[in-house]
Amino acid sequence: MTDYDQYRDRYTEELDRAVSFAGTDHDFFTLAKAEELVRIAERHLGDPAKLDALDVGCGVGLTDRHLSGRFRSLTGTDVSPGVLETAARSNPGVRYE
């Protein structure tokens, strides 16, 4: 198993550990992040449904599941091929590179 595979397999566990101080899990923060990104896009760029979005450092696609379908297109990218495979399985409407 490569370091990338281990990272992919531990991603949500490590994220939950990092945010445990707040007494909630990662989904609370990923949803809040996605909602804020959509609000910012709308405020500064117009209707998100007419925009192409890029999620740099998308990890396993946790935020993308809340963004998918809200932009004209969504592409995720990350340095770890393993997390991109996981993201693609979880978010079939998103392109991962």
Side-chain angles (χ1 to χ4, degrees), residues 59-75:
V60 296
L62 298 175
T63 303
D64 295 343
R65 74 175 156 195
H66 301 295
L67 295 175
S68 183
R70 300 185 72 181
F71 289 90
R72 179 173 61 188
S73 71
L74 178 60
T75 301

Side-chain angles (χ1 to χ4, degrees), residues 46-58:
D47 181 2
K50 296 179 181 178
L51 301 172
D52 299 313
L54 175 64
D55 183 359
V56 177
C58 65

Side-chain angles (χ1 to χ4, degrees), residues 7-76:
Y7 174 68
R8 175 198 62 212
D9 295 343
R10 294 188 330 259
Y11 189 89
T12 55
E13 178 184 318
E14 292 294 326
L15 187 54
D16 281 337
R17 192 166 55 81
V19 300
S20 65
F21 70 92
T24 188
D25 66 9
H26 67 273
D27 200 47
F28 173 83
F29 292 100
T30 56
L31 177 58
K33 176 182 170 182
E35 292 299 325
E36 186 60 19
L37 288 169
V38 171
R39 277 194 293 275
I40 289 169
E42 190 168 40
R43 186 175 330 129
H44 295 285
L45 302 170
D47 181 2
K50 296 179 181 178
L51 301 172
D52 299 313
L54 175 64
D55 183 359
V56 177
C58 65
V60 296
L62 298 175
T63 303
D64 295 343
R65 74 175 156 195
H66 301 295
L67 295 175
S68 183
R70 300 185 72 181
F71 289 90
R72 179 173 61 188
S73 71
L74 178 60
T75 301

Side-chain angles (χ1 to χ4, degrees), residues 2-12 57-62 64 76-91 96-97:
T2 68
D3 287 341
Y4 287 133
D5 292 331
Q6 291 174 7
Y7 174 68
R8 175 198 62 212
D9 295 343
R10 294 188 330 259
Y11 189 89
T12 55
C58 65
V60 296
L62 298 175
D64 295 343
T77 187
D78 201 287
V79 297
S80 172
V83 297
L84 292 177
E85 293 166 6
T86 300
R89 280 193 303 274
S90 299
N91 302 297
Y96 290 98
E97 306 247 352

